[in-house]
RNA sequence: GGUCCCGUAGUUCAAUGGAUAGAAUAGAAGUUUCCUAAACUUUAGAUGCAAGUUCGAUUCUUGCCGGGACCA
């Protein structure tokens, strides 16, 4: 049982004895005591005033007296200031804790919850390489899965690969047109980048064609368009000429008209038509299209494998959209039978979510083809069959909030037993100082490039510091990777997932302060000490007096399990990151003030060695939860 | 037009309704005969605006202003 819980229970039993009122641990507000006051933990008395009908000061005195009296080995003193009851915890509590825990690692202590949790994350598209935004997703998903495992859950990591669709066809078309049979092997370009380049080429070409078509449209040449679209374009033209365009509202309307026009023109370009046709051929299973598709996706997967391995993402099960995109139609049928869904006159199927404050939502087109949400309905079913979960997390960016809300609602209305367990772990987008990353404008930060650059930076910094002269080249390279990825992962995980964050390529690559390398460095220093002296587990340290910083450190270390539980409950790796950082920070302060190897006496030395060992363990495990390795030396 | 999210030092991030709002960076000033100075110490600097609930509000409610996302 953690110290915080122990204190709460002690308080609640004191209150019970004093006032014959039963309070649960949750009714007691417990904080760490602010440094300017005497004490370690603080009970906020205001919350108790109403129920116990006494002044805060009187309550503090009575409860404090009672607690110190009934558990003298735990509480050594108390004071009451302005409605706060500050309790001092006996040093022996910490020394005993230290002795118990320094020897063993911390993992495996948690009791299994018996709960199954599925975590879906990463979910890449096979038309472009992984970028910075994906990295946040990958790190977050992996870390949350790890945290949930550590908290005693059975976890299954899944990935849904978006391997079909019009965007995939675009890369294929461009490759056919421009590649002359080139391959990743022949060019030496990583497969995912290779394919991504053709996607970009295709987009670029489409824009050229669209510009030409647009000029024709402006000259009233509609030869390239169907009658219906010709009509629409003419209408749009008339509409826009009717708008004055000087107010903001007008400008907005004009922009919308312009966008509609662009969309129609884009769709009429030869390349878009070809891509559309290719998608039809793909769905029809046309052999040469399927073959090309397999070949190009194969290149992409080879590239992804390299990146995934490097950044440490892995999955227990991978779903492919090409295999799931037809799913969900049966679910729609069931929904119709149950009357949850309804069919409109044109044959399309909808769900009415107006009662929930949302709109009507299309779930099946009138020609019977799927929309995005159709297959998500089907995939949800598949996932539950494969792993009957209590919770199913979808790690998806917050731009999908509406979509995920609808998905969950539909499944709930259909009465699916797993619907309530669905949770959208929504995270904010990563932005650049100049704003949102846009692949069309080429402002996307590529993951491979970014990691390379950080490795280079890590190598430079390490050679400046040079405490690893005896390392082989292979060991050095491993160290650089460890530091670079440590910096990157920590940077992306230290922020609350829900919040949008800004990545500044120049400034964010930092190895000082609140960063991964700072913690890695602290760990290396710890290990350096531990290599120089034997830690004797048998040594009795039970009755020693603690220095302020020793106690402060132990107080923090003792909270490890509570923090883990909290992080698991909130699906929030940032809670771990913040905690580990404060551990490292306090340790560094301790390190400068007190010597371990040259401690005042042998007992102190042993105590501090054990303290070092426990600190190193906590740092290693905590960083492990974030997917960050800590080096033995750096 | 509708729904949702976000506004905290110059900048990037913290803060289960609790005490004088924490860090990091950038700025200023220091600390290497001693376990790794990627460290440590000192210093200055912030809750968008206006009401409300409360003993107490960065946190909850409402309105406004500003930024973003989505739906149509």
């Amino acid at each position: 049982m953690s110290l915080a819980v122990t204190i709460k229970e002690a308080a609640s039993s004191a209150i019970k004895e004093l006032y014959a009122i039963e309070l649960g641990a949750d009714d007691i507000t417990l904080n760490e005591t602010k440094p300017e006051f005497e004490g370690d933990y603080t009970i906020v008395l205001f919350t108790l005033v109403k129920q116990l009908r006494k002044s805060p000061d009187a309550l503090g005195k009575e409860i404090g007296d009672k607690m110190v009296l009934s558990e003298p080995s735990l509480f050594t003193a108390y004071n009451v200031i302005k409605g706060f009851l500050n309790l001092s915890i006996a040093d022996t509590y910490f020394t005993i804790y230290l002795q118990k825990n320094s020897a063993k690692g911390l993992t495996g202590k948690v009791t299994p919850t018996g709960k199954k949790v599925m975590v879906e994350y990463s979910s890449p598209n096979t038309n472009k390489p992984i970028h910075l935004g994906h990295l946040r997703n990958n790190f977050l998903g992996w870390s949350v899965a790890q945290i949930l495992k550590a908290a005693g859950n059975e976890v299954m990591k899944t990935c849904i690969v978006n391997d079909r669709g019009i965007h995939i066809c675009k890369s294929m078309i461009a490759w056919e047109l421009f590649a002359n049979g080139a391959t990743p092997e022949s060019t030496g370009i990583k497969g995912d980048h290779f394919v991504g380049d053709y996607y970009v080429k295709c987009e670029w070409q489409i824009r050229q064609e669209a510009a030409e078509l647009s000029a024709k449209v402006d000259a009233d040449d509609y030869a390239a368009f169907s009658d219906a679209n010709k009509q629409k374009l003419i209408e749009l033209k008339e509409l826009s000429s009717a708008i004055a365009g000087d107010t903001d509202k007008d400008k907005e309307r004009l922009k919308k008209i312009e966008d509609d026009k662009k969309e129609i023109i884009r769709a009429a370009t030869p390349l878009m038509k070809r891509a559309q046709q290719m998608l039809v051929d793909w769905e029809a299973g046309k052999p040469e299209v399927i073959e090309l598709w397999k070949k190009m996706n194969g290149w992409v997967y080879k590239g992804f494998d390299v990146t995934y391995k490097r950044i440490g993402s892995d999955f227990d099960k991978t779903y492919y959209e090409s295999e799931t995109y037809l799913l969900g139609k049966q679910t729609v049928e069931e929904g119709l039978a149950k009357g949850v869904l309804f069919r409109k006159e044109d044959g399309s199927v909808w769900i009415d979510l107006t009662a929930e404050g949302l709109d009507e939502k299309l779930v099946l087109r009138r020609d019977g083809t799927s929309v995005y949400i159709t297959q998500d309905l089907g995939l949800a079913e598949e996932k539950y069959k494969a792993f009957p979960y209590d919770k199913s997390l979808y790690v998806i960016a917050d731009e999908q909030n509406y979509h995920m809300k609808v998905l969950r609602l539909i499944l709930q209305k259909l009465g699916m037993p797993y619907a309530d367990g669905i949770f959208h772990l929504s995270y904010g987008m990563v932005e650049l100082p100049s704003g949102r990353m846009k692949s069309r404008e080429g402002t996307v930060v590529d993951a491979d490039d970014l990691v390379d650059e950080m490795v280079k930076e890590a190598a430079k910094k390490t050679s400046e510091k040079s405490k690893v002269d005896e390392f082989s080249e292979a060991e050095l390279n491993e160290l650089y990777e460890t530091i670079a990825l440590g910096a990157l992962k920590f940077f992306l995980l230290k922020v609350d997932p829900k919040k949008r964050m800004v990545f500044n390529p120049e400034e964010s690559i930092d190895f000082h302060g609140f960063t991964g390398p700072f913690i890695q460095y602290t760990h290396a220093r710890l290990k350096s000490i531990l290599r120089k002296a034997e830690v004797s587990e048998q040594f009795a340290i039970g009755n020693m007096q603690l220095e302020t910083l020793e106690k402060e450190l132990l107080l923090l270390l003792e909270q490890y399990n509570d923090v883990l539980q909290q992080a698991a409950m909130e699906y929030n790796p940032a809670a771990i990151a913040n905690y580990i950082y404060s551990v490292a920070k306090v340790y560094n302060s301790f390190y400068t003030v007190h010597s371990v190897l040259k401690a005042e006496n042998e007992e102190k030395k042993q105590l501090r060695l054990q303290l070092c060992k426990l600190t190193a363990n906590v740092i290693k495990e905590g960083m492990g939860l974030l997917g960050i390795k800590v080096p033995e030396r750096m």
Side-chain angles (χ1 to χ4, degrees), chain A residues 332-351:
Chain A
V332 170
E333 288 305 320
E334 284 170 31
L336 280 168
K338 284 183 189 166
V340 175
L341 309 176
F342 66 94
R343 202 184 286 277
K344 287 199 176 174
E345 282 171 19
D346 64 359
S348 57
V349 181
W350 296 71
I351 184 161

Side-chain angles (χ1 to χ4, degrees), chain A residues 336-538:
Chain A
L336 280 168
K338 284 183 189 166
V340 175
L341 309 176
F342 66 94
R343 202 184 286 277
K344 287 199 176 174
E345 282 171 19
D346 64 359
S348 57
V349 181
W350 296 71
I351 184 161
D352 183 2
L353 299 174
T354 46
E356 283 77 16
L358 305 174
D359 304 296
E360 287 186 353
K361 181 90 187 168
L362 177 73
V363 295
L364 202 65
R365 293 204 188 91
R366 65 178 172 193
D367 59 3
T369 56
S370 301
V371 287
Y372 248 106
I373 204 143
T374 324
Q375 62 173 310
D376 283 343
L377 293 171
L379 182 56
E381 180 91 32
E382 285 290 298
K383 285 165 80 176
Y384 186 70
K385 269 191 229 155
F387 188 72
Y389 53 71
D390 298 281
K391 280 268 173 203
S392 175
L393 307 190
Y394 290 71
V395 183
I396 306 178
D398 60 8
E399 57 187 356
Q400 302 279 346
N401 282 356
Y402 184 81
H403 177 83
M404 288 306 297
K405 209 167 163 183
V406 170
L407 175 67
R408 189 163 184 269
L409 253 175
I410 294 178
L411 289 168
Q412 279 175 329
K413 289 195 150 212
L414 288 169
M416 298 302 183
Y418 49 84
D420 289 340
I422 287 176
F423 181 83
H424 177 200
L425 180 47
S426 163
Y427 64 91
M429 312 284 274
V430 183
E431 291 181 2
L432 301 174
S434 53
R436 196 173 167 181
M437 291 189 287
K438 286 178 182 154
S439 42
R440 286 195 188 167
E441 288 165 27
T443 54
V444 178
V445 178
D446 179 78
D448 293 321
D449 292 349
L450 179 58
V451 175
D452 282 346
E453 196 176 318
M454 298 199 70
V455 169
K456 227 188 283 171
E457 197 63 28
K460 200 175 118 198
K461 282 270 160 54
T462 306
S463 57
E464 283 167 13
K465 308 292 175 190
S466 178
K467 286 150 206 153
V468 286
D469 294 334
E470 71 280 16
F471 269 31
S472 70
E473 199 176 323
E475 285 172 319
L476 275 176
N477 285 333
E478 195 190 329
L479 178 63
Y480 301 155
E481 288 278 326
T482 300
I483 294 171
L485 280 165
L488 190 53
K489 288 187 182 184
F490 198 85
F491 180 84
L492 290 172
L493 288 175
K494 74 180 179 187
V495 181
D496 182 337
K498 287 189 287 293
K499 294 201 172 163
R500 268 184 297 154
M501 65 185 297
V502 177
F503 182 85
N504 185 334
E506 278 80 45
E507 292 170 12
S508 298
I509 304 178
D510 201 349
F511 297 156
H512 301 274
F514 188 11
T515 67
F518 168 88
I519 296 165
Q520 290 173 322
Y521 173 72
T522 307
H523 181 262
R525 288 216 295 198
L526 276 158
K527 280 323 209 30
S528 174
I529 291 177
L530 291 168
R531 275 193 298 275
K532 293 188 170 102
E534 280 293 312
V535 185
S536 163
E537 307 300 352
Q538 263 63 52

